[in-house]
């Protein structure tokens, strides 16, 4: 079974979206470089960010997201983002009307069910969990092995928190990755067990 990684771009004050649920300037680092990060050519990062991000993206076997993210992105048009093979959506609602049942998306009614399905789909590859409310629940349940952050130099002041509504203290180990890219600091913290 592969490791479970909680991941997102985050502001200095701990938000993954602003109060209107928009990323604002959080993703500038993905657009301001000169090295294409994917085949679309739209995402361009510094060489440091490419060397850190591309191998990680290639290691992901499944991504777990909440229904809110799924709805905001309109299910990425049935194509998982970043070349990820599978997306597992935590939701109590059925897929939207007209949803392509052949798309590589699985719908699960709880974080436990979602994590089981994601791990089955990913095999020995990484299960990525999107930060936010669902990510915070997975983290609080003790199911995360690593916290991965792309911290950008912006203060949003309010919005959607990286760890959602986690209310208890959780200790992490010292970061085993600290890399400075252009307009981003890449950090990886192993979770203390």
């Amino acid at each position: 079974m592969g490791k479970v990684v909680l991941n997102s771009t985050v502001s200095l004050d701990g938000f993954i979206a602003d109060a209107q649920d928009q990323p604002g300037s959080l993703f500038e680092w993905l657009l301001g470089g000169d090295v294409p990060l994917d085949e679309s050519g739209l995402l361009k990062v510094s060489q440091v960010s490419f060397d850190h991000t591309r191998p990680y993206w290639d290691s992901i076997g499944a991504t777990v997201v909440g229904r809110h993210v799924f709805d905001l992105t309109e299910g990425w048009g049935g194509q998982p983002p970043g070349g990820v093979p599978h997306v597992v959506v935590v939701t109590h609602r059925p897929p939207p009307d007209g949803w392509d049942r052949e798309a590589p998306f699985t719908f699960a009614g709880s974080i436990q069910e979602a994590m089981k399905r994601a791990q089955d789909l990913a095999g020995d590859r990484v299960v990525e969990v999107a930060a936010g409310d669902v990510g915070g629940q997975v983290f609080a349940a003790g199911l995360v092995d690593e916290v991965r952050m792309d911290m950008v130099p912006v203060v949003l002041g309010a919005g959607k928190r990286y760890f959602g509504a986690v209310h208890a203290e959780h200790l992490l180990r010292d970061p085993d990755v600290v890399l400075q890219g252009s307009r981003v600091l890449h950090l990886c913290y192993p979770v203390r067990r």
Side-chain angles (χ1 to χ4, degrees):
M1 178 169 45
K3 71 179 170 178
V4 176
V5 177
L6 181 63
N7 182 48
S8 187
T9 296
V10 62
S11 68
L12 289 176
D13 54 345
F15 296 104
I16 59 171
D18 66 19
Q20 288 73 45
D21 221 0
Q22 299 299 310
S25 56
L26 289 176
F27 296 139
E28 283 181 2
W29 74 275
L30 287 165
L31 305 171
D34 53 2
V35 180
L37 188 54
D38 64 3
E39 295 163 3
S40 75
L42 297 174
L43 303 178
K44 291 185 178 179
V45 298
S46 68
Q47 187 66 52
V48 169
S49 291
F50 177 87
D51 292 345
H52 174 71
T53 305
R54 186 72 254 173
Y56 170 70
W57 283 9
D58 292 340
S59 73
I60 299 169
T63 296
V64 176
V65 302
R67 181 59 181 258
H68 183 68
V69 169
F70 176 84
D71 288 344
L72 279 176
T73 63
E74 296 179 355
W76 295 278
Q79 297 295 318
V84 172
H86 304 280
V87 174
V88 179
V89 182
V90 181
T91 183
H92 297 291
R93 293 181 284 144
D97 290 339
W99 180 253
D100 179 1
R101 304 278 182 188
E102 299 300 314
F105 287 72
T106 301
F107 296 83
S110 69
I111 61 165
Q112 292 80 11
E113 179 187 355
M115 293 305 295
K116 168 91 173 80
R117 289 188 179 188
Q119 288 171 325
D120 289 347
L121 290 165
D124 61 354
R125 297 178 73 193
V126 168
V127 171
E128 176 184 57
V129 180
D133 291 333
V134 165
Q137 291 174 45
V138 174
F139 178 75
L143 303 175
V144 171
D145 300 309
E146 178 181 277
V147 172
R148 187 177 175 105
M149 298 177 158
D150 301 309
M151 185 172 285
V152 296
V154 63
V155 175
L156 294 178
K160 188 171 185 178
R161 301 204 64 79
Y162 183 94
F163 290 100
V166 171
H167 296 295
E169 180 179 284
H170 297 269
L171 298 176
L172 305 176
R173 298 196 180 283
D174 288 339
D176 58 4
V177 173
V178 179
L179 294 171
Q180 182 176 345
S182 177
R183 305 279 309 148
V184 64
L185 183 63
H186 302 290
L187 302 165
C188 297
Y189 296 91
V191 174
R192 187 184 288 184
R193 301 260 185 227

